[in-house]
Amino acid sequence: MTDARTLLDNPGTLAVIGFGKGTAAVDDPRWLRVELESFDAPAPLELWQVEAEVAHGQVDDLRWSIGGGWLFAAIEVDEDAYGGPAGAARHAYASLRRFLGERSEQHVLRIWNYIGAINHGEGDQERYKQFCDGRAEGLGDFFANGYPAATAIGHHGDDARLQIYLLASAHAGARVENPRQLSAWRYPRQYGRTSPGFARAMTLPAQDVLAISGTAAIVGHASTHEGNLDAQLNETLTNLEALLASADMPAGFDTHSPLKAYVRHPADAPRVRDLLHQRLPGVPVLLLHGDVCRSELLVELDGWRYA
Ligand code: 3EB
């Protein structure tokens, strides 16, 4: 397997992302080691590449790269330095907003949020809900024209480590919602003080690529099939089909459309792998140990669909 340093030294490398503890540390702003363990370790490295020269740098705790009109930014925050998940999210999103506001590549298309112990805490004190509060405060009106696609998943690394990274562009993408699901920013109060701000998917500018947000067994605003892994996964796949239709994309996934599956209970990983093999033959799926932000949900998918 090609190592991260080699990939980073290739021309046009915007970012290289590794998954889990086994991944070597590399000192480069474009390198990110996500705190999610793969069930198929060692996980392949994820490579973001553009056909242009890439500049990169660091501003305080924010790392960035820019090339060909595309922008990668990542920020990793120790929550303890900001009084917990809300303060950490507020700091991280305010930093991202400040950085992006000064660039022409400021159209955020896709964001990943990885949060420790995401379901700890009761009611509005659940750590995910605190994260949502801080995210909204840090962003202010930055997404007033519409939210990007996103994922928010719990990791099992250091609880206090908040990881956020994103893809932005000099050009706006096109937001896609799912007719089977209430838009997340309209979720009712029962899911928290601050509705999560994300679009169900985003069509990237200048390319027929759909960035698909974290998608789970939610219909309308309700979680479905509590306790039933197979049914949750089937409902999630139905949601993905509806999303493709809503984006005017052909049905189905193929070998060029990589997905990630976030699985709450390691014991469920083989079953998720089998079911996805049956339902999406040939589709590359990275199986990761991650917790959906609603504690009753067992599995979530996200990824890319190339037209
Ligand atoms: C859902 O559909 C599942 O808070 O950014 C999915 C994608 C979810 C993104 C976020 C949350 C987020 O509501 C949860």
Side-chain angles (χ1 to χ4, degrees), residues 30-300:
R30 300 166 296 162
W31 163 250
L32 181 69
R33 190 183 68 78
V34 163
E35 296 266 352
L36 296 169
E37 296 298 324
S38 165
F39 293 113
D40 302 304
L45 297 173
E46 182 171 318
L47 172 62
W48 293 14
Q49 211 157 27
V50 297
E51 284 170 25
E53 294 261 307
V54 172
H56 56 80
Q58 180 156 357
V59 187
D60 300 323
D61 50 2
L62 185 154
R63 301 182 282 118
W64 60 271
S65 62
I66 296 177
W70 300 95
L71 180 152
F72 162 83
I75 185 162
E76 298 181 81
V77 177
D78 176 4
E79 291 180 7
D80 294 339
Y82 298 92
R90 190 185 310 122
H91 162 75
Y93 273 93
S95 302
L96 288 165
R97 173 192 182 152
R98 206 176 312 121
F99 176 76
L100 288 163
E102 292 168 4
R103 334 256 9 152
S104 51
E105 300 84 355
Q106 63 173 259
H107 298 277
V108 182
L109 304 169
R110 181 68 172 90
I111 307 187
W112 293 260
N113 304 277
Y114 296 126
I115 304 155
I118 195 167
N119 300 126
H120 286 204
E122 292 300 316
D124 285 345
Q125 286 310 112
E126 186 182 27
R127 284 169 48 82
Y128 170 63
K129 293 176 182 133
Q130 295 187 49
F131 162 82
C132 287
D133 295 342
R135 169 170 58 181
E137 288 166 14
L139 279 167
D141 64 357
F142 193 54
F143 292 145
N145 293 327
Y147 294 109
T151 294
I153 283 287
H155 67 66
H156 291 263
D158 174 0
D159 275 6
R161 193 168 180 78
L162 173 64
Q163 301 187 297
I164 300 170
Y165 66 103
L166 61 79
L167 174 69
S169 165
H171 307 282
R175 290 171 189 83
V176 181
E177 289 300 305
N178 190 328
R180 298 187 84 236
Q181 301 186 296
L182 186 69
S183 291
W185 66 86
R186 299 205 166 105
Y187 282 171
R189 176 65 180 87
Q190 71 198 84
Y191 301 103
R193 281 182 297 260
T194 312
S195 300
F198 67 96
R200 296 292 175 191
M202 179 80 86
T203 305
L204 301 196
Q207 260 170 315
D208 288 334
V209 182
L210 187 69
I212 299 168
S213 293
T215 304
I218 293 173
V219 179
H221 60 72
S223 302
T224 59
H225 314 296
E226 191 165 342
N228 185 337
L229 177 74
D230 287 22
Q232 286 191 18
L233 194 55
N234 283 326
E235 197 72 55
T236 301
L237 292 172
T238 306
N239 277 336
L240 289 179
E241 286 305 332
L243 189 64
L244 293 183
S246 168
D248 280 327
M249 287 216 151
F253 289 85
D254 59 23
T255 55
H256 303 295
S257 298
L259 299 177
K260 293 187 181 103
Y262 305 95
V263 181
R264 179 181 296 278
H265 301 302
D268 287 342
R271 179 66 185 158
V272 172
R273 186 188 289 115
D274 284 354
L275 277 175
L276 289 174
H277 268 302
Q278 287 168 30
R279 295 286 308 273
L280 304 175
V283 174
V285 181
L286 181 59
L287 215 58
L288 296 166
H289 184 202
D291 298 345
V292 187
C293 58
R294 293 188 186 186
S295 57
E296 67 276 16
L297 294 177
L298 302 169
V299 62
E300 183 171 299

